[in-house]
C-alpha cells in the first residue's frame, strides 16, 4: 500500500488480486494485459494510454478502501471528483507503476520454501519437508 497524490488530493492505492477483480468487473478488460500493452512506451510513446493508468489507480484505490472497510465511489463519480490530473507528473506515474509492479509482479523467490530430498534431516516420505 502506498499513498499517492493526484493534484492536491491524497489517494491510497493497493495492488492486490482484489484490484485485478475490480478492474475486470468495471472495465471488462484484463488489467495486467492492459499494462503489458504499454511495456514499450519508451520506444513507442503512442502506446501510452492515460485512461488505463486512471483505471489502474481507481481499481487499486478501491481495493485499498475494501481493506479499510470504507465505501468507494463508482469510476465515473471518482473521476469527476478529481480536481486536476497532470499526465506529465512523473512522480505520480512512477509511484503508480511501482505499486503495480510490487503488488502484481512479485517473484516471491525470497519466500519460497526450500524442499529437501526424502530422508534428509530426519524427514520421511509421507511428511512434507521442513523449512529451514
Amino acid at each position: 500500500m502506498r499513498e499517492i497524490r493526484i493534484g492536491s488530493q491524497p489517494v491510497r492505492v493497493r495492488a492486490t488480486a482484489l484490484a485485478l477483480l475490480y478492474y475486470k468487473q468495471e472495465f471488462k478488460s484484463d488489467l495486467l494485459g492492459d499494462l503489458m500493452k504499454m511495456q514499450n512506451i519508451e520506444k513507442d510513446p503512442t502506446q501510452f494510454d492515460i485512461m488505463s493508468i486512471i483505471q489502474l489507480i481507481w481499481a487499486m484505490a478501491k481495493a485499498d478502501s475494501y481493506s479499510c472497510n470504507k465505501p468507494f465511489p463508482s469510476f465515473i463519480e471518482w473521476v469527476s471528483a478529481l480536481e486536476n490530473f497532470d499526465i506529465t507528473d512523473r512522480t505520480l506515474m512512477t509511484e503508480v507503476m511501482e505499486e503495480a509492479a510490487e503488488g502484481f509482479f512479485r517473484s516471491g523467490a525470497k519466500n519460497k520454501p526450500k524442499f529437501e530430498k526424502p530422508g534428509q534431516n530426519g524427514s520421511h516420505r509421507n511428511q512434507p519437508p521442513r523449512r529451514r
Side-chain angles (χ1 to χ4, degrees):
M1 191 294 294
R2 73 180 65 207
E3 186 171 285
I4 61 172
R5 295 191 88 64
I6 299 177
S8 62
Q9 185 176 352
V11 178
R12 289 173 41 121
V13 293
R14 187 181 307 249
T16 65
L18 194 54
L20 298 173
L21 174 66
Y22 287 147
Y23 190 94
K24 181 75 167 186
Q25 287 176 335
E26 184 74 17
F27 308 114
K28 311 296 185 249
S29 184
D30 180 65
L31 188 153
L32 298 180
D34 289 349
L35 285 177
M36 296 307 283
K37 290 176 191 173
M38 291 191 294
Q39 71 182 6
N40 293 321
I41 59 174
E42 287 182 6
K43 294 177 186 173
D44 182 6
T46 63
Q47 292 182 358
F48 181 72
D49 181 3
I50 189 63
M51 191 51 64
S52 290
I53 300 298
I54 296 170
Q55 291 170 342
L56 167 64
I57 295 169
W58 176 84
M60 292 193 304
K62 185 171 181 172
D64 182 72
S65 74
Y66 181 84
S67 69
C68 299
N69 202 23
K70 295 179 185 174
F72 200 78
S74 71
F75 179 69
I76 292 172
E77 292 169 341
W78 182 78
V79 169
S80 67
L82 294 176
E83 294 174 9
N84 57 23
F85 191 86
D86 181 4
I87 63 171
T88 63
D89 184 348
R90 287 184 178 230
T91 302
L92 172 64
M93 296 301 164
T94 300
E95 289 175 343
V96 169
M97 297 313 280
E98 283 176 356
E99 177 65 21
E102 291 169 10
F104 300 134
F105 299 102
R106 289 185 261 185
S107 67
K110 295 180 202 171
N111 299 325
K112 276 187 176 177
K114 294 182 180 180
F115 293 100
E116 301 167 353
K117 293 180 183 177
Q120 286 183 336
N121 294 329
S123 66
H124 300 286
R125 288 185 181 184
N126 295 333
Q127 295 178 344
R130 287 190 251 163
R131 286 189 178 183
R132 290 183 180 222

